[in-house]
């Protein structure tokens, strides 16, 4: 490895549009194949918060995002209440986070790299190890956006003693899926649909989508293909910047196509595969794509039809950061996370997954998303299951409290970047609520 490569692994990263209160540094996790995690962090303003020890808030990004995606909320959260230590890492396979050995150790993560490194439970272990490396035995609030949301869910189910509360953003967490059992003899796709989660039904849904007219495919199926990374990178430079600008715009609250609503199959206790496929086919094309188009072709076609589909003026600098970082690393690290979620688990993880399947989130949980984010309803039934079955309220009762399910008007999928003030307001409100409950005599006596 060259001296310049080593410098990239150890020196802080200077990124534009960051508050002076935000710092960049690296933390090496020796127990996680020497994962060298790049973090952005904010501590309270010492003029207003004289303490030197603060509760930890951990923010997990999604795809195609980075620690940088939390830049607008890091400082306001750090200065809330009596102060917090707020940390946003580049997750494994993203940004400046690298490993000494294995995927991401030199150059770009490859499609051929072992998926076990990107399996959800391996990512959970990354997160828990980072908490310990930061010097904490508990996390006041874990927040996950997009793919970071199910990661946060798996964290709090697997290690409830480590996390005091959790907030899911943009992707409802409906619980840990059990590894699929061998298909019973004679069991057709619609029989399986009554027994298994949407994720485990992905191959059957893919077949059903491909038989529609016009034929379609789910974006996660596309993300799992060997060609997706190269197609999305394209020629790099301005082409990559433009593609990301179109992708971010179409999933934002600004795009006219994001008038969200629950899909009809969400109200059925056991929708058939064909019903699920027909419902999914009504989603925007960035979620359910024409079968024979790549994601850049989908986005490019819409950009040609509407000149507004590009980076908003105030996000052009951020767009440059995303284009530069993904141009350097590629998308494959994030794509491998999707592949890991859709692929059979590593044999050594099966027993763990079966033990976690069906467990409820026992810590207080909230959900925040944009009111124009199809991520809320893209998986039929997930939002309702999260609210009614999979999560707990601040009082420990089953089900998420009504006021803790928040859809922010005008915002789309990138809610913490589109409406940071409202996101901070809701996170701080929820933190205060959790703090009051945890300090009440009833809670103390029951613990």
């Amino acid at each position: 490895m060259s001296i310049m490569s080593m410098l990239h692994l150890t020196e802080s990263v200077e990124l534009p549009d960051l508050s002076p209160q935000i710092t960049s540094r690296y933390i090496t996790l020796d127990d996680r194949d020497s994962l060298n995690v790049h973090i952005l962090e904010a501590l309270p303003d010492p003029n207003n918060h004289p303490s030197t020890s603060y509760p930890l808030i951990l923010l997990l990004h999604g795809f195609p995002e980075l620690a940088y995606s939390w830049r607008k909320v890091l400082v306001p959260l750090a200065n809330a209440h009596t102060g917090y230590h707020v940390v946003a890492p580049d997750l494994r396979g993203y940004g400046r986070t690298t490993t000494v050995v294995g995927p991401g150790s030199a150059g770009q993560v490859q499609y051929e790299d072992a998926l076990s490194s990107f399996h959800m439970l391996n990512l959970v272990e990354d997160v828990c190890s980072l908490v310990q490396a930061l010097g904490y035995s508990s996390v006041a609030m874990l927040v996950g956006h997009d793919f970071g949301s199910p990661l946060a869910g798996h964290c709090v189910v697997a290690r409830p003693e480590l996390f005091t509360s959790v907030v899911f953003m943009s992707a409802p967490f409906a619980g840990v899926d059990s590894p699929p059992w061998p298909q019973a003899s004679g069991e057709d796709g619609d029989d399986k649909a009554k027994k298994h989660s949407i994720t485990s039904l992905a191959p059957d849904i893919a077949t059903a989508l491909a038989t529609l007219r016009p034929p379609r495919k789910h974006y996660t199926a596309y993300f799992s293909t060997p060609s997706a990374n190269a197609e999305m990178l394209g020629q790099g430079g301005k082409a990559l910047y433009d593609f990301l600008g179109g992708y971010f715009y179409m999933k934002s609250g600004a795009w006219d196509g994001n008038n969200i609503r629950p899909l009809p199959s969400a109200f059925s206790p056991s929708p058939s595969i064909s019903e699920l496929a027909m419902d999914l086919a009504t989603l925007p094309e960035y979620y359910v794509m024409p079968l024979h188009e790549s994601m850049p072709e989908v986005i490019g076609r819409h950009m040609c039809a509407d000149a507004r589909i590009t980076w908003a003026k105030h996000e052009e600098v951020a767009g440059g950061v995303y284009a530069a970082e993904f141009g350097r690393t590629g998308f494959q690290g994030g794509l491998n996370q999707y592949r890991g979620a859709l692929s059979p688990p590593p044999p050594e993880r099966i027993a763990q997954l079966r033990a976690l399947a069906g467990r409820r989130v026992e810590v207080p949980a909230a959900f925040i998303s944009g009111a124009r984010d199809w991520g809320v309803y893209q998986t039929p039934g997930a939002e309702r299951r999260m609210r009614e079955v999979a999560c707990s309220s601040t009082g420990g009762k089953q089900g998420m409290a009504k006021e803790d399910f928040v859809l922010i008007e005008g915002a789309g999928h990138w809610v913490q970047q589109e409406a940071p003030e409202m996101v901070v307001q809701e996170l701080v409100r929820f933190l205060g609520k959790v703090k009051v409950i945890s300090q009440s005599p009833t809670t103390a006596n029951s613990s």
Side-chain angles (χ1 to χ4, degrees):
M1 185 174 291
S2 68
I3 292 176
M4 287 303 295
S5 297
M6 290 299 293
L7 287 175
H8 282 219
L9 296 177
T10 57
E11 290 188 340
S12 63
V13 180
E14 291 188 10
L15 295 168
D17 282 359
L18 291 186
S19 162
Q21 209 171 317
I22 298 174
T23 57
S24 158
R25 66 181 171 113
Y26 290 88
I27 298 178
T28 299
L29 308 182
D30 291 328
D31 61 331
R32 305 295 306 141
D33 55 13
S34 295
L35 189 70
N36 201 34
V37 181
H38 171 245
I39 66 170
L40 295 180
E41 63 185 336
L43 289 164
D45 183 343
N47 295 321
N48 300 324
H49 303 277
S51 173
T52 57
S53 179
Y54 304 99
L56 178 64
I57 295 175
L58 194 58
L59 310 174
L60 309 178
H61 66 78
F63 178 89
E65 296 180 283
L66 301 162
Y68 185 77
S69 304
W70 299 102
R71 66 196 177 280
K72 297 181 182 181
V73 304
L74 280 160
V75 172
L77 287 177
N79 291 333
H81 298 150
T82 55
Y84 294 94
H85 181 190
V86 189
V87 174
D90 284 338
L91 296 175
R92 180 186 291 268
Y94 285 88
R96 303 285 167 153
T97 292
T98 56
T99 58
V100 174
V101 295
S105 59
Q108 299 184 351
V109 176
Q110 302 298 313
Y111 182 87
E112 295 77 16
D113 290 338
L115 284 184
S116 57
S117 294
F118 300 95
H119 186 267
M120 189 69 78
L121 293 186
N122 197 64
L123 302 176
V124 167
E125 291 169 1
D126 288 347
V127 172
C128 295
S129 181
L130 176 61
V131 172
Q132 293 177 327
L134 288 165
Y136 287 87
S137 59
S138 66
V139 179
M141 183 170 66
L142 180 65
V143 185
H145 176 253
D146 186 80
F147 195 93
S149 178
L151 174 55
H154 282 73
C155 285
V156 297
V157 169
R159 294 289 304 277
E161 78 287 354
L162 192 57
F163 303 97
T164 304
S165 66
V166 64
V167 179
F168 307 113
M169 293 177 63
S170 296
F173 177 67
V176 177
D177 287 335
S178 179
W181 296 90
Q183 183 172 340
S185 177
E187 182 181 51
D188 64 20
D190 286 343
D191 288 332
K192 289 165 65 180
K194 300 174 184 178
K195 303 176 184 178
H196 303 295
S197 70
I198 293 258
T199 301
S200 63
L201 295 172
D204 300 280
I205 291 174
T207 299
L209 286 172
T211 62
L212 297 177
R213 293 292 176 265
R216 310 292 290 277
K217 64 187 173 193
H218 199 264
Y219 77 103
T220 57
Y222 171 72
F223 283 172
S224 299
T225 62
S227 60
N229 179 53
E231 289 169 350
M232 290 196 291
L233 282 174
Q235 298 301 309
K238 187 176 185 303
L240 176 58
Y241 175 86
D242 289 344
F243 160 64
L244 286 171
Y247 187 79
F248 271 69
Y249 184 93
M250 285 185 65
K251 296 188 75 172
S252 76
W255 191 54
D256 295 338
N258 291 330
N259 296 311
I260 73 170
R261 62 194 178 279
L263 299 177
S265 56
F267 303 102
S268 171
S270 54
S272 67
I273 293 290
S274 56
E275 288 171 330
L276 288 169
M278 287 188 288
D279 264 6
L280 293 173
T282 66
L283 292 172
E285 289 186 330
Y286 55 74
Y287 274 142
V288 177
M289 308 161 59
L291 181 62
H292 301 296
E293 288 189 20
S294 68
M295 188 65 79
E297 287 172 334
V298 169
I299 301 301
R301 178 162 43 77
H302 284 274
M303 292 174 71
C304 288
D306 186 348
R308 295 174 299 172
I309 300 178
T310 186
W311 291 107
K313 191 72 176 175
H314 65 280
E315 292 290 1
E316 289 177 348
V317 171
V321 172
Y322 288 122
E325 287 297 277
F326 285 106
R328 183 178 59 80
T329 67
F331 295 101
Q332 196 63 60
L335 299 178
N336 280 357
Q337 292 184 2
Y338 283 95
R339 292 175 60 213
L342 292 180
S343 301
E348 66 272 16
R349 296 293 189 184
I350 291 176
Q352 291 174 279
L353 288 169
R354 286 183 177 155
L356 298 176
R359 286 190 191 176
R360 186 158 58 103
V361 173
E362 298 293 347
V363 302
F367 180 83
I368 300 173
S369 188
R372 294 178 60 78
D373 179 6
W374 269 109
V376 181
Y377 299 120
Q378 67 142 320
T379 302
E383 166 262 342
R384 181 172 56 84
R385 180 169 175 79
M386 176 188 70
R387 297 178 71 173
E388 298 177 3
V389 179
C391 290
S392 300
S393 67
T394 47
K397 298 179 181 178
Q398 179 169 317
M400 184 178 287
K402 184 176 180 180
E403 68 269 20
D404 295 332
F405 181 86
V406 179
L407 300 183
I408 296 175
E409 289 300 322
H413 186 68
W414 322 105
V415 62
Q416 80 275 37
Q417 298 179 81
E418 296 178 62
E421 298 87 357
M422 288 299 299
V423 168
V424 169
Q425 178 179 311
E426 290 298 336
L427 290 175
V428 172
R429 176 197 64 79
F430 182 65
L431 267 172
K433 180 179 175 180
V434 171
K435 183 180 287 190
V436 168
I437 294 293
S438 65
Q439 294 173 349
S440 70
T442 302
T443 304
N445 292 336
S446 63
S447 61

